[in-house]
Amino acid sequence: MALSPVGFEEAEALALAAKAGESAARIRLAAALMGAAFGAPEHSAALYDAIALGWSGTPVKAEPIPDSGEAPLPLTQQFWSAFWDLFDARASLDAGDVTMRVAVLGSLVSPEFQARAAAACCAYPGVNDVDTAEMPPRVKLDDLATCPSGSLGNAFYRLIVDNKFDLEVLDRDALALGSLMPPLNYLNTRILQAHDLWHIVGGYDVTQLHEIAISAFQLAQFGHSYSAMFLAFIAAISAEGEAAGFALAMETIVSAWKHGRETAPLMRIEWENVWRRSAQSIRDEYGIIPYRSPYPADILEQLSGLRV
């Protein structure tokens, strides 16, 4: 089966109704995000722009990204079984488990999905000139270790080492990213390298809420398929809960989506050439305004502590 898409005006109206607390609108909005994420990637930009307008009351200040209008691809029973298993297990999973299992969902979409996702990405600013780019070289921790205090490279080094993060988040070879069609091969490899750099330069903290936020930022920047899938799952589980929880998720997603759409394309930055510069100098050059979070960045950790 395929989830039916919604038009711009309907999405705007659903966002407005969901913000007012209507449970049916929350469910329909989450279903629309699911349909775009897993079956119609070219529809994501227009859908999120419409939701942002309905939810915030102000339009995205960026040129519209065209929607080809293709029908959603069908989702199999195998996909839905995996989705509902993940949905039912959500309370017992940590962030790493959710990341991996949403990635598994992404592997169960139609065989036609990759080609459509590649075409959808090319409609985003700053992407159409990377389809012939060579795969980016691996970042070396030793190179970052030599960067002076106050530099982007040093901030990146400290973020990785102090938090015991993997330098490229996930292993590009294990994920076979090189075998993806252009520009997905380059884009997906580069975002694994740059995810934590975007945290630093974009003003996103390393917290649960801001991982949701930066996913919306990544989707807005280049149509990142995994981010769309992750956000759709967040919307789905939030829609089933209290209105306040859905509002927290959507306020975060909408604000970060608008931030991403209204920020210059970060995919164009050659990070290897700017390690020794400050993050602020890069913000100044590209006109990047740090993310303004509508909630305290660690609010989910605070709420979790209260429940314990």
Side-chain angles (χ1 to χ4, degrees):
M1 65 171 289
L3 291 170
S4 59
V6 300
F8 193 98
E9 291 183 358
E10 183 183 358
E12 180 186 348
L14 284 171
L16 190 61
K19 186 174 185 179
E22 294 184 19
S23 59
R26 295 201 301 270
I27 299 297
R28 182 71 180 107
L29 203 59
L33 293 174
M34 286 285 297
F38 294 99
E42 55 280 296
H43 188 54
S44 285
L47 177 62
Y48 275 86
D49 276 357
I51 291 171
L53 175 58
W55 191 274
S56 71
T58 58
V60 169
K61 297 175 183 176
E63 288 296 317
I65 295 173
D67 179 356
S68 64
E70 293 187 62
L73 295 166
L75 297 171
T76 65
Q77 185 57 50
Q78 183 184 16
F79 170 89
W80 284 116
S81 294
F83 171 79
W84 289 115
D85 284 347
L86 174 56
F87 188 91
D88 291 341
R90 62 193 184 279
S92 63
L93 303 176
D94 63 23
D97 294 329
V98 172
T99 296
M100 295 308 299
R101 291 184 64 171
V102 171
V104 170
L105 287 180
S107 72
L108 300 177
V109 297
S110 167
E112 301 171 50
F113 182 88
Q114 186 181 139
R116 285 178 57 170
C121 285
C122 289
Y124 286 73
V127 173
N128 57 0
D129 55 356
V130 304
D131 58 347
T132 58
E134 295 182 4
M135 294 293 282
R138 295 179 187 275
V139 177
K140 296 179 181 178
L141 198 61
D142 289 345
D143 292 341
L144 299 177
T146 66
C147 293
S149 177
S151 68
L152 175 66
N154 179 262
F156 189 27
Y157 177 81
R158 293 262 54 96
L159 182 65
I160 299 300
V161 172
D162 294 349
N163 292 283
K164 297 182 173 59
F165 288 165
D166 291 325
L167 191 55
E168 293 198 358
V169 183
L170 297 171
D171 186 338
R172 64 169 80 177
D173 294 330
L175 296 174
L177 297 184
S179 66
L180 297 176
M181 66 175 56
L184 298 181
N185 53 356
Y186 179 91
L187 292 171
N188 282 279
T189 301
R190 195 56 163 167
I191 196 55
L192 288 180
Q193 292 183 318
H195 174 82
D196 289 316
L197 288 166
W198 288 19
H199 265 284
I200 296 168
V201 174
Y204 291 86
D205 289 349
V206 185
T207 63
Q208 294 177 47
L209 188 71
H210 278 205
E211 287 301 336
I212 296 172
I214 202 169
S215 294
F217 182 85
Q218 290 175 169
L219 177 59
Q221 280 273 302
F222 70 100
H224 188 220
S225 293
Y226 173 79
S227 289
M229 295 172 183
F230 173 71
L231 294 173
F233 180 70
I234 293 298
I237 61 176
S238 300
E240 284 290 326
E242 299 293 329
F246 187 78
L248 187 151
M250 290 306 301
E251 191 74 32
T252 300
I253 290 169
V254 164
S255 61
W257 167 263
K258 294 179 77 172
H259 184 222
R261 288 276 281 124
E262 295 169 1
T263 297
L266 302 193
M267 194 59 70
R268 290 176 170 169
I269 299 175
E270 296 182 358
W271 300 102
E272 297 84 354
N273 296 330
V274 298
W275 291 142
R276 308 184 83 80
R277 289 175 53 186
S278 70
Q280 187 57 52
S281 74
I282 295 169
R283 293 189 196 107
D284 292 342
E285 179 178 349
Y286 289 90
I288 301 166
I289 299 172
Y291 176 58
R292 297 187 179 99
S293 183
Y295 299 97
D298 64 346
I299 191 171
L300 295 181
E301 287 81 359
Q302 292 183 38
L303 293 173
S304 178
L306 288 175
R307 286 194 293 270
V308 172

